[in-house]
Amino acid sequence: MDTRRLILVMIFTFSSFMLWENWQKYNQPKPTADAVATTPAGSAAPTPSASLQAKASPITPAVSAPVSSAETFTVTTDLLKATISTQGGDLVGLELLKYKEHDNKDKTFVLFDPAHQYLAQAGLIGEGLPTHRSVFKHVEGATTLADGANELKLRLESTSQNGIKVAKILTFKRGSYQVDIAWEIANGSDKAIAPHAYYQLQRDDVAPAGETKMVSTFTGPAVYTDAEKYQKIDFGHIADNKAKFAKTADNGWLAMVQHYFVAAWVPKEKTQREFYMRKVEGSNVFQTGVIVPVAEIAPGAKGETSVSLYAGPQEQSALKEVATGLDLVVDYGWLTVVAAPIFWALEAIHKLVGNWGWAIVILTIIIKAIFFPLSAASYKSMAKMKVLTPRLTQLKERFGDDKQRLNQEMMKMYQTEKVNPLGGCLPILVQIPVFISLYWVLLGAVEMRDAPWILWIKDLASADPYYILPVIMMVSMFVQTKLNPTPPDPIQAKVMMAMPLIFGFMFFWFPAGLVLYWVVNNVLSIAQQWQITRVIDAGGKAANDAKA
């Protein structure tokens, strides 16, 4: 196996991977008519399992009639613009003011979006208690975070039933993507109650706009507990009732994940909770949520409970502060052990230079320096093989009809010249996990989104609008091809010359940050390979002349 065969195998593997990813993306369910409606009525409140229910009184879900035209109002902070509906007091819209839409940079990014039926709902389970389909009234709280204020509280109240008064309080905080959702329950009835609170995220199964055309990232629900760790759940498994995930725990969180962003319900630690997932009948909409018990409330007493909602970008440093394991939604798969340190290094470099593009350039140089000895060994082997190419051609002409003799003569030449035909590919194989890890780091880091580099590169997470970087990459690959040994087989030679075009075509749609890495890596490789080839060529020509 020589270097050119290794490269061909890499191209075949890479192409197969891309085809598989796109096949899966192509076969994802398409939006139905239900998926473009506005705010849906949804299904009834969930029912907690017997293991979570309190023994004080039986619990039955309250069924409220759907609201045909609920009113909405908007809450604005320094980071968020949230649209709240009087039906359930739910968050039916959420704009992230620091981020722009992928396809239209004049608009702010919308996370909770009616087009995807994506919203955050909450309600209570118990006789006569309000659900996410009940009507609330905004009774207290400003709708704009005041200058100098650190938080904004909204109080919504439902109609009192059976002497029980319920209020829902939403607390927004300055500089935070977290919203605390609290319930206050005043039991004015003549019997004790033991309600439950549920918090759910509703969304269709359609991937968000801006997904790369070459690789689709995960979109769907996820659960984390200390025992089961991070679990991603496919929408299709929920629809088929085959989803496997942690159901109960006294720790952990539940989230809805998409490229760059996440929404997650995070109950308080050491609070019993039950996770559930279900498909809304007759649609491609799914609801995933968590149920928590509320301590028994005696007649004339009050009770309360609260859960935190994080809805924002997948900034790993911020996610770690919200909850244990929440940073795992930035998923690097089985290469996490390699990718995590790479991102840490990239982030540290960014703090010094203040630009993610230059941070990628510097990190590429550092990685290249670390692998310098391995790359040098590879290039030396290729350079020696290039020097031996004329003699290998002669052997092929002499023993072309006798494959066994040809292989014997070739091995004898390798031993005499102390050349390892595998020397050019083994060092490259060692580096492949690092390259793939860096690929996923640059693909998944929300920090690259809307991050400029220089001149025409305004967003490292989007494709180069003028295809300048992909063209430079193609040119660099052509130069590398010329530095490598020319295959004696004419067909192989043509394939090697076509590879830069094949790779360059694919990279037209890759994020600019990824292409920047490949360009810098190729330029450094060319410089190193040219120097090594130049030195060995000089010695090799002298040796060949002496043996001629």
Side-chain angles (χ1 to χ4, degrees):
M1 177 178 177
D2 54 24
T3 302
R4 61 179 176 272
R5 288 175 182 165
L6 171 66
I7 295 175
L8 290 174
V9 170
M10 289 174 62
I11 290 178
F12 176 77
T13 304
F14 189 69
S15 301
S16 300
F17 173 72
M18 294 301 178
L19 288 172
W20 169 254
E21 289 284 345
N22 280 278
W23 181 83
Q24 285 197 319
K25 189 173 182 180
Y26 177 79
N27 283 277
Q28 285 181 349
K30 302 299 186 292
T32 63
D34 293 328
V36 294
T38 54
T39 306
S43 56
T47 303
S49 64
S51 62
L52 195 69
Q53 292 187 22
K55 298 179 180 179
S57 61
I59 301 218
T60 55
V63 179
S64 304
V67 179
S68 58
S69 58
E71 296 180 358
T72 61
F73 59 95
T74 302
V75 174
T76 305
T77 72
D78 57 326
L79 297 180
L80 305 171
K81 180 182 284 188
T83 302
I84 300 172
S85 172
T86 55
Q87 177 179 324
D90 298 329
L91 274 74
V92 297
L94 189 68
E95 294 183 39
L96 307 185
L97 302 180
K98 300 295 183 182
Y99 293 87
K100 301 297 182 181
E101 287 286 353
H102 183 272
D103 299 325
N104 188 347
K105 299 303 180 182
D106 294 328
K107 295 183 178 180
T108 54
F109 176 74
V110 179
L111 182 60
F112 292 166
D113 185 359
H116 283 287
Q117 298 200 35
Y118 193 6
L119 61 157
Q121 302 172 318
L124 295 175
I125 305 171
E127 187 174 354
L129 296 178
T131 70
H132 65 284
R133 299 175 68 182
S134 302
V135 178
F136 284 78
K137 183 180 180 181
H138 177 205
V139 297
E140 182 181 329
T143 56
T144 302
L145 183 65
D147 294 338
N150 290 324
E151 65 177 33
L152 182 156
K153 283 194 175 186
L154 289 177
R155 184 180 181 89
L156 301 98
E157 293 181 354
S158 69
T159 304
S160 176
Q161 294 189 38
N162 301 328
I164 302 174
K165 295 182 179 180
V166 175
K168 184 178 184 180
I169 298 95
L170 290 79
T171 303
F172 298 81
K173 302 174 183 178
R174 181 178 296 278
S176 175
Y177 291 100
Q178 283 184 265
V179 183
D180 292 334
I181 313 294
W183 293 99
E184 289 185 2
I185 307 167
N187 184 9
S189 69
D190 57 359
K191 62 179 181 179
I193 59 174
H196 290 67
Y198 67 92
Y199 305 83
Q200 67 184 19
L201 295 165
Q202 176 175 284
R203 192 190 193 283
D204 66 15
D205 57 359
V206 181
E211 283 283 74
T212 170
K213 296 180 181 180
M214 301 304 296
V215 178
S216 61
T217 56
F218 174 74
T219 299
V223 170
Y224 177 91
T225 64
D226 290 343
E228 301 294 336
K229 302 305 179 184
Y230 182 60
Q231 298 173 290
K232 296 187 296 184
I233 297 89
D234 185 82
F235 283 124
H237 293 162
I238 300 174
D240 296 337
N241 294 318
K242 295 179 180 180
K244 295 181 180 180
F245 57 93
K247 298 297 194 300
T248 59
D250 66 352
N251 60 81
W253 45 263
L254 176 138
M256 189 68 73
V257 183
Q258 68 183 60
H259 197 193
Y260 295 131
F261 301 97
V262 61
W265 290 113
V266 185
K268 295 178 181 178
E269 285 295 314
K270 304 303 179 183
T271 300
Q272 285 297 322
R273 66 207 66 186
E274 180 175 352
F275 302 111
Y276 66 91
M277 300 183 186
R278 60 188 181 180
K279 184 177 185 290
V280 178
E281 186 176 353
S283 72
N284 66 333
V285 176
F286 294 79
Q287 293 174 337
T288 63
V290 57
I291 304 172
V292 295
V294 180
E296 181 179 315
I297 307 172
K302 293 183 178 180
E304 60 181 31
T305 186
S306 66
V307 166
S308 177
L309 170 68
Y310 178 91
Q314 295 178 11
E315 296 177 351
Q316 296 183 51
S317 56
L319 296 177
K320 289 179 181 178
E321 295 180 2
V322 174
T324 301
L326 189 55
D327 59 304
L328 295 176
V329 297
V330 186
D331 188 12
Y332 303 130
W334 61 276
L335 285 172
T336 298
V337 66
V338 180
I342 289 177
F343 178 78
W344 176 87
L346 186 64
E347 193 174 34
I349 296 170
H350 174 260
K351 290 179 181 178
L352 295 176
V353 300
N355 181 287
W356 285 105
W358 289 117
I360 292 172
V361 172
I362 295 173
L363 179 64
T364 307
I365 295 173
I366 292 174
I367 292 176
K368 194 66 180 176
I370 292 173
F371 285 107
F372 183 87
L374 286 174
S375 299
S378 175
Y379 298 146
K380 285 179 182 178
S381 178
M382 285 190 287
K384 290 180 180 179
M385 289 295 296
K386 186 175 182 180
V387 171
L388 295 178
T389 297
R391 296 169 61 184
L392 289 171
T393 303
Q394 292 176 1
L395 289 177
K396 186 175 182 180
E397 292 173 354
R398 291 175 58 187
F399 307 108
D401 297 331
D402 189 347
K403 297 295 184 182
Q404 184 175 358
R405 179 68 185 279
L406 175 62
N407 289 331
Q408 290 175 350
E409 293 296 329
M410 289 173 61
M411 293 305 299
K412 183 187 295 185
M413 180 184 296
Y414 292 149
Q415 292 174 355
T416 303
E417 300 297 333
K418 298 181 179 179
V419 175
N420 181 3
L422 296 179
C425 58
L426 291 179
I428 296 176
L429 287 173
V430 175
Q431 299 177 55
I432 287 177
V434 176
F435 294 152
I436 296 176
S437 298
L438 184 57
Y439 169 87
W440 283 111
V441 166
L442 297 179
L443 182 68
V446 69
E447 289 81 0
M448 304 296 148
R449 200 176 192 274
D450 297 329
W453 179 40
I454 57 173
L455 301 176
W456 73 99
I457 301 297
K458 305 298 184 182
D459 181 4
L460 289 166
S462 297
D464 184 335
Y466 304 112
Y467 307 115
I468 295 175
L469 282 176
V471 170
I472 295 175
M473 193 200 76
M474 280 194 289
V475 172
S476 67
M477 289 191 69
F478 273 119
V479 174
Q480 282 185 302
T481 301
K482 291 296 185 181
L483 290 174
N484 290 334
T486 302
D489 187 339
I491 296 179
Q492 286 188 3
K494 290 180 180 179
V495 171
M496 293 296 292
M497 290 301 296
M499 282 189 343
L501 289 175
I502 297 172
F503 262 85
F505 179 78
M506 290 191 300
F507 272 68
F508 276 0
W509 291 277
F510 273 36
L514 294 173
V515 186
L516 175 61
Y517 159 75
W518 282 103
V519 168
V520 175
N521 183 73
N522 283 357
V523 170
L524 295 174
S525 297
I526 289 170
Q528 185 182 13
Q529 189 173 358
W530 176 82
Q531 175 61 21
I532 291 173
T533 302
R534 187 178 65 86
V535 173
I536 293 179
D537 275 351
K541 287 180 181 179
N544 285 336
D545 292 341
K547 294 180 180 180

